[in-house]
Amino acid sequence: MFRALWNLAILALIVGLKKCGTFEAPSQASTRSLPKCQRPSQFLEYGAEDIEVVESLDIAFVSSGIHYFKDRASGIRGKIFLIDLNVPFENLKAEELKIAGTFNRDEFRPHGISSYYDHGRLELYVINHNLKFEHSIIVFEYDQKEHLLNYRRTITDSAFRSIVYYNGKKSQIVLDNLLTPNGIAIDKSKKHLFVSSPNARSTTVYSLIRVSHKKTFWIMASLFKVVQNIQNKESKISLTEISKVPLYTSPDNLYLDKQNSLWIGCHPVAYKVFLQTLFSGDERFVGPSQVLHVEFRNQFKEWSVKEVYSDDGSEIPASSVAVTSSDKILIGSINHNLIVCKNLYF
């Protein structure tokens, strides 16, 4: 009964999206190709919703297995894949990582994924939604020698909504009443936070002010993505808006490159993506894809936006993330395989 009511609510939302001014979009998507796109040799059957690049190791982790509105078929399990970005373009492959440790794998549905690497230790922080759509952050430690993930702990808090600051013990909502905050990112200076909003069709830049107090562990998270760090002498955080970048499309996950430019996986026709996630596997419902590149100037107060890639969904449907590494662009999808393309423009 709950599932049926939920599906009806989503259908009502889809009708509203088609009429809502903030989601106005053409019924068809244009096409802008990238050169020499291919799929990794390992087929990611249940999607590549988010991709996390660990630049110091030149590797990427991929979350797979998120399903929003449909009971999962028997045998489907959430998975994490590893891609070695040092491998030549033609030989790139995704390797499924084994997971050691005890947790409820039947309700493992990984969504956003982030990492923390320090002194040879690499931890992954994975947003998870169980079958009741209850939210948590699952922490894994990556064993580089054995190529496996060791389960460490699960973080839960009733305050996990909107944009949340977690200091290792409790959560504080730092941004509330936002219109569907989704992808988030923090620059390397830890002074700027970026938040995407699919419904508002924009990405907002905030200055991140930290009040010194003592050494602590902290996490900044939305319902769909987490960023975290360990710093000395900080315990409180406040955010001030610097700029809001209109994108005229629905942004999903954000990737911030070494030049502090954003790469954004987008949904140009949003209601089609809802239909695709609602009727996963039905070829009648395919969401188009789009990748935007945003360059900032004047301390993030000015910007330029360029469309790097667009597709009607035939090459890759429902693009949710785009990341770069030297000559490669990796584009992920909510519930389809990812593609890797040559990056000849930047």
Side-chain angles (χ1 to χ4, degrees):
M1 175 62 73
F2 173 80
R3 182 65 60 178
L5 291 174
W6 179 255
N7 287 346
L8 286 174
I10 295 302
L11 286 173
L13 176 61
I14 292 168
V15 173
L17 290 176
K18 294 183 72 173
K19 296 180 179 179
C20 178
T22 59
F23 264 84
E24 285 181 356
S27 59
Q28 301 296 327
S30 61
T31 298
R32 183 187 299 274
S33 300
L34 283 168
K36 200 174 181 180
C37 292
Q38 65 182 39
R39 303 186 187 281
S41 58
Q42 173 73 29
F43 182 64
L44 281 66
E45 184 177 3
Y46 303 117
E49 202 284 333
D50 199 12
I51 304 172
E52 170 71 1
V53 175
V54 183
E55 293 178 351
S56 54
L57 299 178
D58 213 15
I59 59 177
F61 295 91
V62 182
S63 61
S64 179
I66 183 68
H67 284 256
Y68 295 103
F69 311 125
K70 180 181 178 181
D71 291 330
R72 298 201 296 170
S74 176
I76 296 178
R77 294 291 183 271
K79 299 177 181 180
I80 304 294
F81 290 85
L82 174 71
I83 297 177
D84 184 353
L85 299 173
N86 293 292
V87 173
F89 179 87
E90 294 76 10
N91 300 325
L92 211 65
K93 65 178 182 179
E95 172 191 355
E96 181 184 344
L97 292 175
K98 295 181 179 179
I99 300 177
T102 302
F103 68 103
N104 191 344
R105 301 193 187 192
D106 290 336
E107 297 205 353
F108 182 45
R109 301 196 294 174
H111 197 163
I113 182 171
S114 298
S115 64
Y116 178 76
Y117 181 67
D118 184 52
H119 292 92
R121 181 177 180 179
L122 175 57
E123 289 188 329
L124 295 184
Y125 294 77
V126 182
I127 293 287
N128 188 64
H129 314 295
N130 65 17
L131 298 178
K132 296 180 180 179
F133 211 65
E134 297 168 333
H135 318 296
S136 62
I137 299 171
I138 300 180
V139 184
F140 300 99
E141 184 175 347
Y142 174 56
D143 187 325
Q144 298 181 56
K145 293 182 179 179
E146 300 296 329
H147 281 249
L148 62 81
L149 296 175
N150 290 301
Y151 169 75
R152 290 300 180 228
R153 63 191 181 278
T154 298
I155 302 170
T156 59
D157 196 298
S158 59
F160 280 176
R161 67 181 190 274
S162 194
I163 303 297
V164 174
Y165 162 72
Y166 177 75
N167 66 4
K169 295 182 179 180
K170 61 181 181 179
S171 296
Q172 169 197 349
I173 297 174
V174 293
L175 287 174
D176 206 357
N177 300 318
L178 295 180
L179 197 59
T180 61
N182 189 11
I184 61 175
I186 289 181
D187 70 346
K188 288 181 173 56
S189 72
K190 312 301 177 187
K191 295 181 180 179
H192 301 94
L193 177 72
F194 306 80
V195 180
S196 69
S197 173
N199 283 30
R201 296 163 64 86
S202 63
T203 293
T204 305
V205 186
Y206 298 90
S207 64
L208 193 155
I209 302 172
R210 296 170 290 183
V211 180
S212 297
H213 181 57
K214 61 181 180 179
K215 183 176 180 179
T216 184
F217 167 85
W218 63 267
I219 285 176
M220 190 80 71
S222 71
L223 284 183
F224 309 109
K225 181 74 174 182
V226 55
V227 291
Q228 53 73 43
N229 197 13
I230 296 177
Q231 293 283 340
N232 289 322
K233 297 181 179 180
E234 58 181 76
S235 63
K236 295 182 180 180
I237 286 181
S238 64
L239 299 174
T240 302
E241 182 176 320
I242 297 176
S243 59
K244 179 174 289 187
V245 182
L247 299 173
Y248 308 102
T249 185
S250 295
D252 203 321
N253 290 305
L254 306 176
Y255 170 69
L256 197 66
D257 65 18
K258 296 177 181 178
Q259 289 73 42
N260 276 339
S261 295
L262 282 177
W263 297 78
I264 312 175
C266 301
H267 308 293
V269 188
Y271 78 90
K272 289 191 175 183
V273 177
F274 279 99
L275 287 172
Q276 179 179 316
T277 54
L278 184 59
F279 302 104
S280 179
D282 192 327
E283 295 182 357
R284 295 175 300 170
F285 304 105
V286 176
S289 294
Q290 184 182 41
V291 174
L292 298 182
H293 178 249
V294 183
E295 291 185 290
F296 291 98
R297 303 179 300 276
N298 190 20
Q299 298 180 332
F300 300 100
K301 296 177 182 178
E302 299 176 358
W303 58 85
S304 59
V305 181
K306 180 176 182 178
E307 183 184 66
V308 176
Y309 175 86
S310 63
D311 179 67
D312 62 4
S314 57
E315 184 169 50
I316 180 170
S319 55
S320 54
V321 62
V323 302
T324 64
S325 176
S326 61
D327 63 338
K328 307 176 187 72
I329 298 177
L330 284 71
I331 304 174
S333 169
I334 293 176
N335 48 20
H336 284 73
N337 200 9
L338 62 84
I339 60 172
V340 185
C341 304
K342 282 284 189 179
N343 182 6
L344 302 180
Y345 298 105
F346 302 97

